[in-house]
Amino acid sequence: MGMDIHRCRFVPYPPSAINAVAFSHLSSLSSTSKGFSTLRLAVGRANGDIEIWNPMRGIWFQEIVLRGGKDRSIEGLVWTQDPDDVDEEGWKTPGRLRLFSIGYSTAVTEWDLDLAKPLRHSTGNYGELWCIAAQPVLQSSKEASTEKQDLLSSQNDVREQNLVAGCADGAIVLFSTSDGDLRSLKALARPSKKKARVLSITYQNRNIVVAGHADSTIRVFDTRNGQQIRNMSLGAGPVGGPKETLVWSVKCLSDGTIVSGDSTGTMRFWDGKNFTLSQRIKSHVADILHVAASADGETVISGGMDRRTTVYRRIGSGKIAGKRLWAELTHSRLHKHDVKAMATFETKDFSVLVSGGLDTNLIITPIQKFGKEFHRTISGHPLQPCIGGAPSEGLMMSWWAGEIHIWRIPGHDHSQQAASQKDNEFDEVRTRILAARILIQGEESLASADMAENGRMLAACTMSAVKLFRLRPRPRNTLKVSKVEIPSDVGEVGARMVRFSPDGKWLLIIRANSSIQICRLREDESVKKRLLLQRKSIDLERLPRDPIEPKYRHGSLGNYERSINRIAFSADSRVLVVGDLSGYLDSWVLEGHEDLTQETDEVVEVTEPLSSSDDEDTDEENHPRVILGQHWIRNPTASLIPKLAASALLLSFRPSKEQSTKLINGKEHPTRKTPHPHSHDLPNGEDRLFAFTCKHQMYEFSILSGRLSEWSRRNPSSSLPPTFRGLKDRAMGSIWDICGTKERIWLYGSSWLWMFDLSIDFPIAMGPGTQDADHHVPPGLDRADNLKRRREPDESYVEAGRSNTGAGGKIPHSELSLGIGRKFRKMDGPEPSNGRWISVDLEPVRASDDDDDDDDDDDTANQSTLLGLRRGSSGNGIITDDLAEDHVGPDGKVAGELALARGGIGKTRPYWGTYIYRNILGIVPLGRGREHDDEHVGQTLSDDDAPRGVEVALVERPMWEVDLPPKYHGNQEWDN
């Protein structure tokens, strides 16, 4: 018994190119951490979306997406930080981090991360903005003398970070961000007669601006007086080419050196004091589109239209004519198309280059360990599935931008005639039917969409509106879509997420400010079963929490980390859980039993206050609104549920094996004073919640009791197989397969699919950091020497976010392409057998202020020790990766539109994984492979007699099927 997979590639999702990337902080080589707690990466795409990423010491978790709109594009991104405030008692309030963008318009837009939408705009009488840069943060101890320090501290504007932007007509405009506002200050340069576009711009220091133009010129300005200091000409264009050279990118190093990349593929290095050309290197065969630099100014990286990522470094310790020369170290084609944007961030233990372009992928490249660690590719497809469906009707929904597609997927024919067909046969007519297509009016892109499990309703939202549709079957397996009128206080306010309850009776709406609103749905029997939305909605309040980070040292994100990002309903729709970016879980339960005899608009108030020890409960909590005999209250044990160690990626309740007994109208009887009594009965169904964090930590909570389940206590995250813990791509979704004695959950990411059987305990998987993991000590190196030096992980295992500098894992010594051997042999005595191989890369462990890797290792060892006590004498064996991993599938082949991931999974195998799928958009259960499963509940069946597993549609979107602009074809296509 396994899972029947319809392998679908017909969903035409259009991935969007990356035009801009920016880190929220400047590099800090004095810090020993792997990034600050508030460090974020903003990624701007051509469809107007801005993705906010948390590097998390190399895990790279996408937190939210700021949605764009029609004909909008992000062409530039910058961060600033407001100055810290110090009160009379000396307490410092960290300055707020702010994000700004430009995109083919005359406006600079500031984004509100708390609300996930634009906060304010600033525009003026100038041309379209092509580039933008933020003023460096004031370093008072270095940039201001002691005599001027008092003056600087008294002038708040001096401590602010201004913005400078270049325009299409040649103008350069200065913007102020002081007092939490955004306004235009002055123009540094007016439009010239030639109107040469300003293609790139940067700050050399807080007062000097360097701008690259489209007329073969780099101009330098002083922002204090608005004067132009110098013109640096690139000379005439190449012979037979354009007369003008386009300066696509300029960058200033820490010593003031100016670096430029242009349309001739030439890197130029300019003296930062007298503004003269020092050196030039012809390193690209096409335009250089972006230039980035390391924090120490010793390394420069360029990317261009020829898909090359080229690394340059200063050579030699001596000086020639007082200057050190630059040399091209190496180049590689990490991207499959133009490289348009780059950004770097470095500390002592974290050093990465982030790049993106037309191939839509995000590439993470190590800087300090370049050539010693792999780069990492993050798919440009949505990391939160844009796929949904109705299992009972065989419907699958996909959404993006302003349109929704609904497909009907026919069930798989298990007859012998179908099984005898060739594996490569592909029947598009039999495979799917486009049942409906919905175009959402307006310019904003969809933020979320959901379909009820019965296939009768569909909800969608943008950041300005919520829309509800009714779906009814029509001939030829199509659907009739009709819009449902909803109250203005529900529909005319935007939302970031919408979700139906499994029974289709409740619609949950998460507003832009992460407030929670839930509405009751019912059908009007008097008017052809018209769908109605209850006029009165319910607002659910979350528990008040302490400040997420009480000791911010590197800026503040406000309430951003309290943004809700995950939702889960129980199978009986009577328990609701939401999770936020900080890892908190809030839960509510539905009291009472449905009473359809109540009037539609009747509202019954509870006269007795709810039992709660929280004195801060709102009036809505003490007097909940009762709708049709039921009302939502805060889970009595909500405060007992612990905070997760990281933000939740997946929240999902176990499906119920047995249907709970439903009471009609409860046990309450009407009286004269209470004509519509309601029950206070709490749910008694399945309440076990499976939670999976962005660190790939696994927990299962019993929500109604407010504690970990017994299974979760016996199976901590350390019992997961090392291969799974080492996955780089984060989990995207989950599918449950509950049948008989099997309780399986299928987890999937953009490039992997894993099954875990929760009906049995996992064997103890030994990994690095556990006290008994002798097989992870490097060969020839005893445990004593291993503890004295930095632990060298097995080359076959590098856990995500650890043992690297933020990108990929270590490159095996046999595959190193740069440098000489990385090991030497130490002889103890005259016998060769006593020799030990020691890596030259091993170094003493350096203490880190924020690095908790050692704590994680200790926790892993302690958890492994406790497992034997919790499990008794069973389930404490060691399992190897060979038991868990199957790269080509259990049947050895995958063919055509249908892949059968079943068979070959023994009864004792607790997990299994495959990597044959690429660029997964999502997996939708169709639910028709198990029509007779109810007959076998509680029975032990053989593999031959067992019913078939869940039937799903797995949606892929390979990049070779995406229509991308034509790429540059040079004469060295063999050089990859």
Side-chain angles (χ1 to χ4, degrees):
M1 182 184 68
M3 180 167 65
D4 288 350
I5 299 178
H6 293 260
R7 198 170 184 178
C8 307
R9 292 184 176 178
F10 52 78
V11 177
Y13 175 82
S16 183
I18 296 176
N19 291 340
V21 292
F23 280 103
S24 58
H25 295 74
L26 296 177
S27 298
S28 177
L29 293 179
S30 60
S31 174
T32 58
S33 67
K34 283 192 173 184
F36 309 130
S37 59
T38 55
L39 176 66
R40 296 296 185 272
L41 171 71
V43 178
R45 296 189 178 269
N47 61 359
D49 290 350
I50 300 178
E51 301 169 358
I52 304 300
W53 291 76
N54 187 345
M56 295 187 67
R57 301 182 176 92
I59 290 179
W60 298 100
F61 166 51
Q62 185 188 96
E63 294 183 328
I64 63 171
V65 178
L66 309 177
R67 296 296 178 181
K70 184 179 179 181
D71 298 329
R72 301 179 191 175
S73 178
I74 302 298
E75 298 298 322
L77 290 169
V78 292
W79 294 80
T80 65
Q81 180 180 341
D82 290 341
D84 298 339
D85 292 332
V86 181
D87 59 18
E88 297 178 354
E89 299 180 357
W91 291 96
K92 184 176 71 172
T93 302
R96 188 179 181 88
L97 294 170
R98 303 166 65 183
L99 176 63
F100 303 87
S101 70
I102 60 172
Y104 289 147
S105 69
T106 60
V108 177
T109 301
E110 180 179 359
W111 292 84
D112 190 330
L113 297 184
D114 294 349
L115 301 180
K117 59 183 181 180
L119 178 62
R120 58 175 61 91
H121 306 274
S122 178
T123 186
N125 188 21
Y126 39 77
E128 295 180 349
L129 301 179
W130 274 64
C131 52
I132 189 172
Q135 189 179 23
V137 179
L138 175 65
Q139 303 291 340
S140 58
S141 60
K142 297 181 180 180
E143 299 181 9
S145 62
T146 305
E147 298 178 356
K148 296 181 180 180
Q149 186 59 37
D150 294 339
L151 177 61
L152 291 176
S153 61
S154 63
Q155 296 177 354
N156 188 58
D157 289 345
V158 177
R159 296 184 292 134
E160 301 282 354
Q161 290 180 262
N162 293 330
L163 305 178
V164 64
C167 305
D169 57 3
I172 298 178
V173 185
L174 196 65
F175 296 87
S176 172
T177 63
S178 61
D179 300 327
D181 197 6
L182 176 63
R183 61 183 183 275
S184 175
L185 279 182
K186 61 181 179 180
L188 294 181
R190 301 289 181 181
S192 60
K193 294 182 179 179
K194 297 177 62 175
K195 292 187 177 182
R197 290 169 295 169
V198 184
L199 301 177
S200 55
I201 198 165
T202 189
Y203 275 91
Q204 187 183 39
N205 52 51
R206 283 185 58 86
N207 301 315
I208 303 300
V209 170
V210 181
H213 291 68
D215 60 351
S216 305
T217 305
I218 300 175
R219 296 177 172 87
V220 184
F221 299 89
D222 191 328
T223 60
R224 292 168 293 188
N225 51 29
Q227 293 184 356
Q228 180 176 329
I229 299 177
R230 188 65 59 91
N231 276 357
M232 298 184 291
S233 177
L234 275 66
V239 178
K243 296 182 179 179
E244 304 291 351
T245 300
L246 308 180
V247 185
W248 287 115
S249 182
V250 290
K251 181 68 64 175
C252 293
L253 307 183
S254 55
D255 61 355
T257 300
I258 301 173
V259 183
S260 66
D262 55 51
S263 58
T264 65
T266 303
M267 285 284 293
R268 288 178 167 86
F269 299 88
W270 308 80
D271 187 283
K273 295 182 179 179
N274 53 28
F275 305 108
T276 58
L277 181 63
S278 301
Q279 185 181 355
R280 62 181 178 182
I281 302 175
K282 184 71 168 65
S283 53
H284 290 256
V285 295
D287 300 36
I288 296 177
L289 300 180
H290 205 95
V291 175
S294 62
D296 58 5
E298 295 295 314
T299 303
V300 174
I301 307 101
S302 63
M305 289 181 60
D306 56 359
R307 297 172 285 142
R308 287 186 178 182
T309 300
T310 307
V311 180
Y312 316 82
R313 283 185 180 167
R314 297 183 193 264
I315 58 175
S317 58
K319 296 183 178 180
I320 300 178
K323 302 176 182 177
R324 293 174 59 192
L325 297 180
W326 291 84
E328 178 183 345
L329 178 64
T330 184
H331 72 266
S332 58
R333 288 177 175 169
L334 306 179
H335 289 271
K336 303 301 182 183
H337 216 294
D338 299 5
V339 185
K340 297 189 63 177
M342 289 181 169
T344 60
F345 180 82
E346 291 185 86
T347 64
K348 287 185 178 180
D349 297 325
F350 189 85
S351 176
V352 294
L353 165 75
V354 177
S355 59
L358 294 183
D359 62 0
T360 75
N361 294 328
L362 199 64
I363 304 293
I364 315 296
T365 308
I367 298 179
Q368 296 175 3
K369 298 292 185 179
F370 183 83
K372 300 179 182 179
E373 294 180 354
F374 290 107
H375 72 278
R376 179 178 172 186
T377 301
I378 300 178
S379 173
H381 293 69
L383 298 185
Q384 188 168 353
C386 58
I387 302 293
S392 61
E393 299 296 327
L395 296 176
M396 184 185 73
M397 172 194 67
S398 61
W399 57 271
W400 60 85
E403 57 184 292
I404 302 173
H405 293 201
I406 303 176
W407 309 84
R408 189 179 297 277
I409 310 295
H412 175 60
D413 187 1
H414 296 287
S415 63
Q416 296 181 356
Q417 180 179 359
S420 63
Q421 294 179 355
K422 294 181 180 180
D423 291 335
N424 59 357
E425 184 175 351
F426 185 82
D427 187 355
E428 292 192 0
V429 178
R430 183 188 63 82
T431 303
R432 85 275 183 177
I433 298 173
L434 182 60
R437 183 186 179 193
I438 304 174
L439 299 179
I440 305 299
Q441 295 182 352
E443 296 184 354
E444 293 191 2
S445 297
L446 287 171
S448 177
D450 190 37
M451 179 185 292
E453 290 191 5
N454 57 16
R456 299 177 183 177
M457 295 171 290
L458 186 146
C461 70
T462 65
M463 297 307 294
S464 61
V466 175
K467 300 181 183 295
L468 183 63
F469 302 92
R470 184 175 183 182
L471 308 176
R472 287 178 289 181
R474 292 198 307 182
R476 297 184 179 180
N477 287 326
T478 59
L479 294 174
K480 180 180 180 180
V481 181
S482 56
K483 186 177 180 180
V484 178
E485 297 296 332
I486 57 179
S488 59
D489 61 335
V490 175
E492 295 180 2
V493 182
R496 63 171 69 201
M497 298 177 71
V498 291
R499 182 70 57 84
F500 286 105
S501 62
D503 59 9
K505 296 179 180 180
W506 298 93
L507 174 62
L508 181 69
I509 303 173
I510 306 298
R511 297 298 181 182
N513 61 353
S514 289
S515 61
I516 305 171
Q517 186 178 22
I518 190 166
C519 306
R520 183 61 159 85
L521 296 164
R522 64 180 299 184
E523 291 184 347
D524 188 356
E525 300 289 345
S526 61
V527 188
K528 295 182 180 180
K529 296 185 178 182
R530 184 181 61 178
L531 183 65
L532 295 177
L533 187 70
Q534 197 80 8
R535 186 173 61 87
K536 299 294 185 179
S537 60
I538 302 174
D539 294 327
L540 303 181
E541 298 291 336
R542 291 189 286 171
L543 281 171
R545 308 288 188 177
D546 294 332
I548 301 168
E549 189 71 29
K551 50 181 182 179
Y552 282 129
R553 289 174 293 173
H554 307 287
S556 170
L557 291 169
N559 294 323
Y560 165 74
E561 292 188 345
R562 290 287 284 149
S563 301
I564 295 176
N565 67 329
R566 294 297 184 269
I567 303 171
F569 274 102
S570 63
D572 60 1
S573 303
R574 298 195 63 185
V575 183
L576 168 65
V577 176
V578 300
D580 59 29
L581 294 177
S582 63
Y584 285 116
L585 299 179
D586 289 276
S587 55
W588 297 265
V589 295
L590 183 62
E591 272 192 346
H593 304 282
E594 186 178 36
D595 181 6
L596 298 178
T597 62
Q598 288 191 9
E599 297 295 333
T600 303
D601 296 332
E602 182 176 358
V603 176
V604 181
E605 298 293 341
V606 179
T607 57
E608 298 180 1
L610 300 175
S611 58
S612 175
S613 59
D614 191 354
D615 297 334
E616 300 181 2
D617 285 346
T618 62
D619 183 69
E620 182 69 22
E621 291 289 336
N622 288 326
H623 303 280
R625 187 182 304 277
V626 178
I627 298 179
L628 300 180
Q630 295 177 308
H631 56 275
W632 287 92
I633 65 169
R634 181 181 298 160
N635 178 18
T637 61
S639 60
L640 300 179
I641 300 175
K643 177 179 178 291
L644 299 177
S647 177
L649 278 177
L650 305 175
L651 293 178
S652 180
F653 282 91
R654 286 204 191 198
S656 300
K657 285 187 176 181
E658 299 179 358
Q659 298 294 331
S660 60
T661 303
K662 297 183 179 181
L663 301 179
I664 302 175
N665 293 340
K667 297 181 180 180
E668 303 291 337
H669 300 283
T671 63
R672 182 173 59 184
K673 293 183 178 180
T674 57
H676 297 285
H678 63 276
S679 172
H680 292 278
D681 293 340
L682 292 176
N684 58 1
E686 180 64 77
D687 70 329
R688 285 178 293 177
L689 175 73
F690 182 86
F692 199 74
T693 72
C694 59
K695 292 183 177 180
H696 278 195
Q697 299 167 324
M698 176 183 59
Y699 305 94
E700 188 180 57
F701 296 99
S702 178
I703 295 298
L704 296 182
S705 60
R707 61 183 181 182
L708 287 173
S709 68
E710 292 300 324
W711 181 90
S712 187
R713 289 170 55 84
R714 298 192 309 270
N715 297 271
S717 300
S718 59
S719 63
L720 290 171
T723 303
F724 181 79
R725 297 204 309 268
L727 290 174
K728 297 295 184 181
D729 295 335
R730 301 294 90 184
M732 295 172 54
S734 61
I735 300 294
W736 286 96
D737 186 8
I738 305 296
C739 179
T741 60
K742 301 294 184 181
E743 298 181 6
R744 292 175 172 173
I745 184 172
W746 295 79
L747 307 181
Y748 64 91
S750 61
S751 60
W752 53 266
L753 175 66
W754 275 72
M755 180 279 298
F756 296 92
D757 193 340
L758 306 188
S759 63
I760 57 177
D761 289 337
F762 295 165
I764 303 175
M766 308 305 293
T770 57
Q771 296 177 354
D772 298 329
D774 291 333
H775 59 285
H776 282 285
V777 178
L781 185 64
D782 58 27
R783 179 172 296 279
D785 289 334
N786 193 40
L787 295 178
K788 292 179 182 179
R789 296 174 176 267
R790 179 180 291 274
R791 289 182 293 271
E792 182 183 19
D794 191 341
E795 292 177 356
S796 63
Y797 168 77
V798 177
E799 188 168 350
R802 301 174 61 179
S803 302
N804 61 12
T805 58
K810 282 189 176 181
I811 300 177
H813 299 150
S814 59
E815 299 180 14
L816 289 173
S817 58
L818 297 176
I820 58 176
R822 292 296 190 270
K823 288 186 177 181
F824 65 92
R825 191 176 187 185
K826 180 180 179 181
M827 304 296 297
D828 292 337
E831 296 296 332
S833 60
N834 294 331
R836 295 176 296 168
W837 287 99
I838 299 177
S839 173
V840 299
D841 294 330
L842 297 181
E843 57 185 16
V845 178
R846 179 173 58 244
S848 175
D849 52 357
D850 291 332
D851 196 351
D852 57 355
D853 290 350
D854 293 336
D855 295 337
D856 292 343
D857 292 341
D858 295 338
D859 293 342
T860 302
N862 294 334
Q863 290 176 353
S864 300
T865 304
L866 291 175
L867 286 184
L869 299 176
R870 291 176 178 173
R871 298 183 181 181
S873 59
S874 62
N876 57 354
I878 297 176
I879 190 170
T880 61
D881 291 348
D882 295 338
L883 181 63
E885 183 178 345
D886 193 342
H887 291 274
V888 297
D891 56 359
K893 58 184 177 180
V894 176
E897 191 76 3
L898 182 67
L900 298 179
R902 63 173 182 267
I905 302 178
K907 295 181 180 180
T908 60
R909 177 173 293 189
Y911 40 72
W912 173 87
T914 182
Y915 308 93
I916 61 176
Y917 307 108
R918 283 294 183 270
N919 296 330
I920 298 177
L921 285 179
I923 300 180
V924 179
L926 301 178
R928 289 185 312 283
R930 302 164 50 188
E931 294 88 345
H932 306 289
D933 284 358
D934 294 339
E935 302 176 2
H936 307 285
V937 173
Q939 301 181 17
T940 302
L941 303 174
S942 64
D943 291 342
D944 296 334
D945 298 332
R948 295 186 179 276
V950 64
E951 187 173 357
V952 302
L954 187 150
V955 183
E956 296 176 286
R957 185 59 168 155
M959 285 303 301
W960 60 80
E961 296 181 1
V962 177
D963 292 332
L964 295 177
K967 62 182 179 181
Y968 175 82
H969 292 281
N971 55 2
Q972 295 183 355
E973 289 300 309
W974 50 268
D975 187 7
N976 294 320

